[in-house]
Amino acid sequence: DGTGAALLADFYAMTGRTDDALVILKQLADTPAHAAVARRQAAAVLVAARRPEEARAAIDAALAATPKD
């Protein structure tokens, strides 16, 4: 299950390891069962890291993949 990976990504994001967090979230996003949550979490990580252009792209990708979520 992706819970452990998502928690590790959170830890990385909270400790300033944004790129490491994003690598994990990309891997989760490639798994259909975790894709929607991982994409939203990636967008949140990017917003927190003050990377608004990338955050917007992540949000757009999340909405395109799961428009009803």
Side-chain angles (χ1 to χ4, degrees):
D1 117 345
T3 303
L7 290 172
L8 181 59
D10 278 342
F11 172 77
Y12 284 159
M14 288 187 291
T15 57
R17 295 175 61 182
T18 302
D19 291 330
D20 292 329
L22 293 172
V23 167
I24 291 171
L25 293 170
K26 180 174 179 352
Q27 291 170 346
L28 280 177
D30 290 339
T31 307
H34 305 291
V37 172
R39 287 184 182 112
R40 288 192 300 265
Q41 188 174 352
V45 166
L46 289 163
V47 168
R50 299 178 192 265
R51 293 164 61 175
E53 294 84 13
E54 292 172 84
R56 180 174 297 277
I59 291 167
D60 289 344
L63 289 172
T66 53
K68 294 185 181 190
D69 280 349

